[in-house]
Amino acid sequence: MIDIRTLRENPEAVRASQQARGDDPALVDAVLAADEKRRASQQAFEDLRAQQKNLSRTIGKASAEERPAILAQAKEMSEHVKALEAEANVAAEQFQAAMYKIANPVLPGVPAGGEDDYEVLREVGSIPDFATRGFEPKDHLDVAEGLGAVDMERGTKVSGSRFYYLKGIGARLELALLTMAADQAEANGFTLMNTPTLVRPEVMGGTGFLGAHSDEIYYLPADDLYLTGTSEVALAGYHSNEILDLSDGPKRYAGWSTCYRREAGSYGRDTRGIIRVHQFNKVEMFSFCPEEQATDEHQRFLAWEEEMIQKMELPYRVINTAAGDLGSSAAQKFDCEAWLPTQNRYMEVTSTSNCTTFQARRLGIRERFEGSTRAVATLNGTLATTRWLVSMFENHQQPDGSLYIPQAMRPYLGGRELISVQ
């Protein structure tokens, strides 16, 4: 949720953000109207309640002859006060609902437009030339099945489409990748956490995931709980309705969890293998920091993500995501995309978002500041996830079907340099 003062003082900036995102700028006027109605209703209620209190004070001083009339007036005024209070509550609810429709204003430098309007910031590493290596690369699933690392057929048999088993070396590779990410996070001051994967509606909504893309989320109506698609949700809710001490710097957590996504909006894209699946594992970075430090913290998150990709020895690029491709909570997002040889394209493997104070306002997370309190900034970024194996299988495959293991990963796999075909 944005700061209403920002919207009152600079509505044109919020309208411009809405337009850049492809959202309706008229929502700004709807919020301003709801705000005006809310404040007027609250003032009318408080004014009449003050009159009611003053009238109540006169009852004890009134004569026997005056008291009946004053009591009658007090009764009538009490009913009117209750009616105004109800109107003020409705106006407040309408204002809150309108505010929840406004996405976080994008930061300067975020490209306008949709999914294809990103800005490429840099390309890192050399794209492998399989022609000079003397063989045609297989796609990640063929490589993985050849190594005995993935079983899609039985995953589908047990759970349906887009479920799978990682087995043998596949399970070891994922565990090695996530453990390497956890080690890097701890080395950089993150507190490692195994997070809940079921959360209450107020936490899911507070992080901004119950908006336009709520159909991506698994919901358990019998328990009124949601399965999380990222540990960002549980990490954001960890300090909900708390006042934090950030005098020593940001509070950083790294959440290791299983994640669940319905992939309702994928429309058949990347259905082969383990690119878009319903269940996967992930190590997610999360930070609570003072809002003026958020931009620098965002760059740190991106640097840590790039460090992990470089350890995996994968060619990649970094993009500045366009406004229309941001989630409602993010004011800016950088994606790291690894090269996918068999599809001749880059594929997102990790991203980091600066959510400014948007999530914290919804979740009631504040810090002490200049004798008062204010909302903190929140940031998130993926440090490793199951999808990374896709790019690893394709880029590091060898002519005989074996798999090269990056040097940084070898200590997590007993020193193995190569995984042979089963």
Side-chain angles (χ1 to χ4, degrees):
M1 185 167 61
I2 69 173
D3 186 348
I4 184 58
R5 291 172 297 181
T6 299
L7 196 147
R8 290 176 192 152
E9 294 167 5
N10 197 356
E12 286 305 318
V14 183
R15 287 191 188 95
S17 173
Q18 289 286 101
Q19 289 175 326
R21 284 176 170 274
D23 292 343
D24 186 1
L27 288 173
V28 173
D29 299 304
V31 170
L32 290 172
D35 178 44
E36 184 176 345
K37 181 179 179 181
R38 172 184 66 101
R39 289 191 289 169
S41 298
Q42 185 66 25
Q43 190 63 55
F45 161 63
E46 290 177 356
D47 288 347
L48 190 62
R49 185 170 60 176
Q51 294 178 36
Q52 181 190 31
K53 289 180 180 178
N54 289 334
L55 182 63
S56 297
R57 294 190 189 101
T58 67
I59 294 175
K61 301 175 183 179
S63 64
E65 293 79 10
E66 295 172 328
R67 189 169 291 127
I70 294 175
L71 288 171
Q73 184 182 0
K75 181 179 179 182
E76 182 179 355
M77 186 174 289
S78 176
E79 293 174 355
H80 194 188
V81 166
K82 289 180 181 178
L84 288 181
E85 182 178 22
E87 290 178 12
N89 289 338
V90 170
E93 291 172 1
Q94 292 173 340
F95 166 74
Q96 186 82 349
M99 282 286 282
Y100 266 53
K101 294 179 182 178
I102 298 286
N104 199 0
V106 298
L107 293 174
V110 173
E115 183 178 1
D116 299 324
D117 297 310
Y118 54 82
E119 173 191 10
V120 177
L121 299 180
R122 55 185 165 274
E123 295 183 358
V124 181
S126 299
I127 292 175
D129 185 354
F130 284 93
T132 62
R133 297 183 185 181
F135 73 100
E136 186 74 20
K138 298 177 181 178
D139 78 1
H140 76 279
L141 184 57
D142 287 338
V143 174
E145 289 178 337
L147 296 170
V150 175
D151 191 331
M152 298 295 301
E153 182 179 349
R154 289 185 176 89
T156 300
K157 177 180 71 174
V158 171
S159 301
S161 65
R162 303 204 194 190
F163 285 95
Y164 58 96
Y165 285 88
L166 287 180
K167 63 176 188 174
I169 192 57
R172 289 297 304 272
L173 284 169
E174 183 190 53
L175 185 59
L177 172 63
L178 298 180
T179 304
M180 188 164 70
D183 284 350
Q184 179 178 301
E186 281 196 319
N188 286 286
F190 286 79
T191 299
L192 187 62
M193 303 182 78
N194 281 7
T195 62
T197 57
L198 285 166
V199 298
R200 294 177 172 177
E202 58 267 28
V203 175
M204 186 65 80
T207 48
F209 284 94
L210 292 183
H213 301 291
S214 59
D215 59 346
E216 290 286 332
I217 303 168
Y218 287 103
Y219 175 59
L220 282 65
D223 302 289
D224 195 24
L225 292 172
Y226 289 91
L227 277 168
T228 57
T230 168
S231 58
E232 170 196 345
V233 179
L235 293 172
Y238 185 67
H239 285 302
S240 59
N241 300 312
E242 294 182 21
I243 299 175
L244 306 182
D245 180 3
L246 300 179
S247 58
D248 292 332
K251 285 187 177 295
R252 298 182 181 128
Y253 302 97
W256 183 324
S257 75
T258 301
C259 307
Y260 304 89
R261 297 184 185 178
R262 294 186 63 239
E263 291 291 352
S266 59
Y267 303 114
R269 293 183 300 172
D270 296 327
T271 56
R272 177 172 165 79
I274 59 172
I275 298 178
R276 288 183 182 270
V277 290
H278 296 306
Q279 177 182 327
F280 54 94
N281 294 310
K282 184 153 71 90
V283 172
E284 182 81 0
M285 300 179 290
F286 198 89
S287 175
F288 301 92
C289 77
E291 59 179 315
E292 62 269 12
Q293 297 179 22
T295 298
D296 289 341
E297 185 80 336
H298 200 196
Q299 290 297 326
R300 284 188 285 267
F301 270 40
L302 179 58
W304 285 320
E305 291 180 342
E306 290 191 71
E307 182 181 345
M308 272 294 297
I309 298 176
Q310 289 167 16
K311 287 177 180 177
M312 296 294 290
E313 301 177 29
L314 297 172
Y316 70 95
R317 72 179 182 184
V318 179
I319 66 170
N320 185 11
T321 307
D325 201 27
L326 298 175
S328 63
S329 296
Q332 186 167 37
K333 179 166 74 81
F334 300 118
D335 286 351
C336 293
E337 301 180 328
W339 182 251
L340 200 59
T342 62
Q343 297 189 25
N344 197 37
R345 69 176 177 94
Y346 286 99
M347 173 193 70
E348 180 198 337
V349 290
T350 180
S351 66
T352 176
S353 296
N354 180 0
C355 296
T356 62
T357 60
F358 187 86
Q359 293 177 327
R361 291 183 187 282
R362 292 184 174 209
L363 292 168
I365 308 169
R366 297 164 290 158
E367 64 164 331
R368 300 199 184 280
F369 182 73
E370 296 181 351
S372 184
T373 62
R374 64 173 185 174
V376 304
T378 61
L379 299 97
N380 64 80
T382 300
L383 204 52
T385 186
T386 307
R387 184 187 282 192
W388 287 39
L389 298 180
V390 172
S391 188
M392 183 182 177
F393 285 136
E394 294 212 2
N395 284 281
H396 294 329
Q397 62 181 291
Q398 303 300 301
D400 61 358
S402 61
L403 187 72
Y404 165 82
I405 302 300
Q407 290 188 15
M409 203 174 190
R410 292 172 189 173
Y412 300 91
L413 290 166
R416 280 180 281 188
E417 300 178 10
L418 203 69
I419 302 299
S420 300
V421 175
Q422 298 294 307

